[in-house]
Amino acid sequence: MMMVIRNEQEHSETEGSRTKKKKKQDGTSRPACSWRIVFSREFIKEYTASHPESSGLKAATKAASDAWKLMSPEEKAKYTNRAREVWDKYLSTTPARIPKPRRQTKLVTRCSPGRLLNVLQRLTPDQKAAVKSMGFGSILNLRCRTLRRSLCLWLLEKFNTVRRSLEICGERIPLTPRDVELVMGLASSGKDVVNSGPDELIAELRKKYNATNRGISVRLLEERLAVPEAGEDFKRSFLLYVLGTLICPTARLDVSPSFLHFLTNMDVVHQYNWGKFLLDRLVREVARYRQGKQRAVGGCLLFLQLFYYESVAVGEPSELSPAIFPCLASWGEEEISEREKQERELGGYGCGEVVCKERGLGIGMLGYRTQTDSIHSAIMPPEVENYPLFEQVGYQAGEDQVNGGMITAEVTDDSYSFFRFCKGLLIMYKLSDTGRENMPISGNEGDTVCVDIEISDPVRAPCRNAQYGCTEIVDYTKRKEHEDVCLCSPCACPLRKCHFIGSSTQLSEHFSSKHWDSGRRFQYNSPLPVTLNKNEACLVLQAEKDGILFLLSKGTESIGHTVMITCISPSSSKEQYLYDIVSERGNSCLRLKSYTNNYPGRIEGSPPVDFLLVPYCFLNSTGKLDLEMCIWNSTDIGAD
C-alpha cells in the first residue's frame, strides 16, 4: 500500500512539473488527455497492487501503454467520453485567453543610402569630377540617409512585378526607366547593361578585389575609396560601391562580383542604360523575395520611396514650389520627416491624390498642382550638366543669368506638360548667343532671372545605334522616340562565353558563323523534339528561313521546371511569334501555346512572361526533360 501511495506521489509530481508553465500563464491547469486522465491512473493502481515485484512507476506506465494500444475503440470510448466531459467543464469555466499581438514584419534590406552618403562627403573635387564623367553626377546630390521601412513594406505589397507598376490610391502607376531618370538622375537610354560573360575575363579583377563566392567586401571598397586618387581604380570601386549599396543591392551584404563584367572598360560606362538596369533588378529582387527565395529585399527601395513621395500629393493645394531635378536632390531628412507627418495626419499611406498620371513628378511634397493656361515653373538644378536628362547641346548662358542656379520661364502652349517643357528647355533646343542677347528680361529680383524664351531650330543628330547599322539622322526632339523603336538596338549573344553585341541582324550572322554548332536549327511550322539535360538551363534556336534567334529557357522551382521561349530581338520590336511546347508522360500531356516576348539577349531570373510548369515526375529516368516544340511565323493564334 505504501508503494502505491509513493507511485501516485511521483506521478502527481511529474504531472505538476509538466503543467507548471501553463499554470503560470492561465492560473488554471489544463486537463490531460483521455489516456492520461482516466485510464492510466486506474490501470497503474491495479497493476501496482497486483505486481508488488514491479520495479516502479516506469514499468507500470509501460504496461498501461501496451494495454491501451490493445484495446478496441469500443473499450476506449468510456474513457474518452469521461475525458471529454472534463474538457467541456474546463473550457466553460476558463476565461478566453487574450491573443498576443503579432509582431510587425521587419524589413531586411541592403539598400543603405546613409552608408553611401558618408562616402560621398569624403570625396575630393577630382573624385567628384570623375564621378560626373561616368554619368553618375546626380548621386553626388544624395541627401537622404534612411529608408522609411514602414513605407517600403507598404509599397512592396502594392508593387506589381508583372505589370511593373504601383497600384496605389485607386490608380495603377506604371514604372519605366524614364521615371528612374527623373527620380535618380540616371540615364534611361543607351546600351543594355549585361552582367554576364566568361569568367576568365574578370579573373584579374576578382583577384584584385578579393572576390569570393559571397561577393566583394563593402568594407574593402570603403577603404579603397578613402584613398585620394581619381583614376580608373577609383571609378570602378565607386561604381561597385554605388551598385551594391544603392542602385541594385542584392540580398547579401557584399557586392555581387557579376558586376565586374560590365566594368572591365570604364570608358564606356556612361553609355549604359542605368535606369533600365535599376528597374529590372528591382523587379527581379522583389519577385525573388515574394517567392521566399531570400529573406532580404534587394533592389533600390529608395527609388520606390522617392517615387511615391513625388507621385502622390498630400495636404491642401498649394502654390507652385521649385521642382528640383533629379528628385533625389530635393528629399533630405527634414523634408521626409515633414512628409511622413502629413501622411499620418491624412490617415496613413495611400490617402493622397495621384498626380503623376501624365508623369508630373516633382509636385508631391507640398500638395497637388493644377496646370493652367500659363504655367510659371521654377527649375532649380543644383548642377544641370550632371544629369543625363538635361544633356547639354550647345547650351550657353551668361554668368549673370545662372549665378543663382535658377531659371524661371513662362510657357503659354498648354499642349506641353510641365516636364516636357523642362526637358525641351534644356535638351531639345540650342540657345545661341544672338538669341540670348535678344531675350526680353521680365524681372531680375535677387538672383532669379525671368525670361521669355524663343525656341530656335532643333538640332539634328545621328541615332545612338549608328555603330550597329542605323543610318537615321533625327531631330533631337524626336531622338529618344526613335531610339525606343529603333530596330538596330543592340542585342547580346546569349552564350555565356561570348560577349558580342550588335543588332539582331548582326547577331544572327555572328551566331551562324561563330556558334553554328552551339544551338539547334529549326523550320517554322514544323514540330521539333528537344531534350534538355539536367544542368542545361537554355538552348539557342535559330530559324533556317530568316536566321532569327530564339531562346528556350528552363528554370527551376520547388515542384518542377519552368519552360518558355523568347525571341532575341530589341525589346521595342512589335513582332511576335506563336509557339507551342508539349511535355508528355504516359497518357498525361502538358501544353503551352503562347506568343514570344522580345528580349535583347540571355534571360536572367524569371521574367514576367508565360511559361509551362513541368513537374519533376515528367522527367525521364536520367533526369532529362523531353519536350516537343513548334514555332510559327504566322501570328494566327488558331494555327495548329
Side-chain angles (χ1 to χ4, degrees), residues 96-310:
R97 295 178 59 187
I98 302 175
K100 294 182 178 180
R102 296 185 61 183
R103 297 180 61 185
Q104 184 178 1
T105 305
K106 293 183 177 180
L107 174 68
V108 181
T109 178
R110 307 305 181 192
C111 185
S112 308
R115 194 166 190 169
L116 175 60
L117 187 58
N118 293 334
V119 172
L120 295 177
Q121 292 174 345
R122 298 194 299 264
L123 296 182
T124 65
D126 291 340
Q127 290 175 333
K128 291 181 180 180
V131 172
K132 296 175 186 177
S133 67
M134 295 185 293
F136 283 77
S138 60
I139 302 298
L140 298 175
N141 295 285
L142 176 68
R143 299 174 55 218
C144 174
R145 280 191 171 275
T146 58
L147 292 173
R148 300 294 170 162
R149 296 178 180 256
S150 57
L151 172 58
C152 291
L153 282 171
W154 183 78
L155 289 173
L156 288 175
E157 295 178 358
K158 306 298 181 180
F159 188 21
N160 189 325
T161 56
V162 176
R163 295 180 178 270
R164 297 194 172 202
S165 62
L166 282 177
E167 299 176 356
I168 54 179
C169 306
E171 300 284 348
R172 177 179 290 137
I173 310 175
L175 298 176
T176 66
R178 181 59 60 86
D179 298 320
V180 179
E181 186 173 4
L182 290 169
V183 174
M184 306 295 294
L186 302 177
S188 62
S189 61
K191 299 186 294 186
D192 286 346
V193 181
V194 180
N195 61 323
S196 62
D199 292 337
E200 55 269 17
L201 292 182
I202 61 172
E204 291 297 326
L205 290 178
R206 288 180 64 96
K207 183 178 179 181
K208 187 175 183 178
Y209 287 95
N210 297 331
T212 63
N213 291 334
R214 294 188 59 84
I216 301 172
S217 170
V218 173
R219 295 184 180 272
L220 173 65
L221 294 175
E222 289 177 346
E223 294 174 0
R224 286 177 171 271
L225 294 176
V227 178
E229 68 92 17
E232 184 173 299
D233 289 341
F234 163 77
K235 293 181 179 180
R236 185 177 291 110
S237 299
F238 179 82
L239 277 189
L240 285 172
Y241 193 78
V242 172
L243 291 169
T245 58
L246 182 67
I247 294 179
C248 50
T250 61
R252 295 182 175 181
L253 180 60
D254 297 329
V255 182
S256 174
S258 65
F259 295 158
L260 293 172
H261 284 289
F262 52 78
L263 298 180
T264 54
N265 183 5
M266 300 304 297
D267 294 333
V268 298
V269 168
H270 65 281
Q271 300 177 7
Y272 290 132
N273 189 336
W274 293 106
K276 181 177 182 297
F277 183 64
L278 183 150
L279 186 58
D280 290 345
R281 297 287 296 202
L282 176 63
V283 171
R284 172 193 171 187
E285 292 294 329
V286 174
R288 289 176 60 86
Y289 169 74
R290 287 181 175 173
Q291 293 169 2
K293 294 183 178 180
Q294 57 195 36
R295 178 170 174 263
V297 185
C300 186
L301 297 184
L302 180 64
F303 163 69
L304 279 184
Q305 175 177 312
L306 298 185
F307 181 83
Y308 171 77
Y309 289 156
E310 294 290 341

Side-chain angles (χ1 to χ4, degrees), residues 47-60:
Y47 183 85
T48 304
S50 60
H51 296 78
E53 74 283 359
S54 174
S55 58
L57 181 63
K58 183 177 181 180

Side-chain angles (χ1 to χ4, degrees), residues 375-569:
I375 302 177
H376 294 270
S377 54
I379 309 166
M380 295 180 59
E383 295 180 27
V384 172
E385 69 275 9
N386 294 341
Y387 311 136
L389 180 64
F390 299 129
E391 296 179 31
Q392 301 297 297
V393 185
Y395 179 78
Q396 303 173 11
E399 294 182 359
D400 57 333
Q401 294 176 322
V402 294
N403 280 341
M406 178 187 293
I407 300 176
T408 305
E410 180 177 351
V411 179
T412 57
D413 184 0
D414 58 2
S415 64
Y416 283 88
S417 65
F418 171 69
F419 277 91
R420 187 179 294 276
F421 160 67
C422 295
K423 182 181 177 183
L425 176 64
L426 294 179
I427 297 179
M428 301 179 180
Y429 302 107
K430 174 180 178 181
L431 299 179
S432 64
D433 291 338
T434 304
R436 187 179 70 251
E437 293 172 357
N438 296 330
M439 284 192 292
I441 298 177
S442 58
N444 58 356
E445 182 179 356
D447 288 329
T448 303
V449 179
C450 299
V451 296
D452 292 331
I453 297 179
E454 290 186 18
I455 299 176
S456 60
D457 292 335
V459 178
R460 294 177 62 82
C463 173
R464 290 180 185 269
N465 301 321
Q467 57 180 318
Y468 304 122
C470 183
T471 59
E472 293 289 333
I473 298 179
V474 296
D475 294 346
Y476 211 89
T477 58
K478 301 178 181 178
R479 184 179 178 185
K480 176 60 181 174
E481 290 133 7
H482 165 75
E483 291 172 356
D484 288 342
V485 298
C486 182
L487 297 180
C488 293
S489 298
C491 299
C493 183
L495 300 183
R496 290 192 179 276
K497 296 184 178 181
C498 180
H499 52 282
F500 174 84
I501 297 178
S503 66
S504 56
T505 302
Q506 294 171 342
L507 179 61
S508 175
E509 297 174 354
H510 161 80
F511 197 88
S512 299
S513 59
K514 300 294 184 180
H515 310 299
W516 56 271
D517 58 342
S518 299
R520 290 282 301 274
R521 296 182 66 85
F522 72 95
Q523 294 180 352
Y524 289 119
N525 312 326
S526 297
L528 176 70
V530 174
T531 299
L532 295 177
N533 296 325
K534 186 175 182 179
N535 298 324
E536 193 173 7
C538 64
L539 176 64
V540 182
L541 307 167
Q542 187 170 31
E544 294 182 358
K545 182 177 180 180
D546 50 20
I548 293 179
L549 297 178
F550 297 85
L551 193 66
L552 174 63
S553 303
K554 181 186 75 173
T556 303
E557 299 295 335
S558 58
I559 61 174
H561 292 296
T562 58
V563 185
M564 70 193 75
I565 296 179
T566 57
C567 181
I568 303 178
S569 62

Side-chain angles (χ1 to χ4, degrees), residues 39-73:
F39 173 76
S40 63
R41 291 183 180 180
E42 294 180 359
F43 183 88
I44 290 174
K45 288 181 181 180
E46 297 176 0
Y47 183 85
T48 304
S50 60
H51 296 78
E53 74 283 359
S54 174
S55 58
L57 181 63
K58 183 177 181 180
T61 304
K62 176 71 167 55
S65 176
D66 295 339
W68 178 262
K69 293 177 182 179
L70 295 175
M71 292 174 63
S72 64

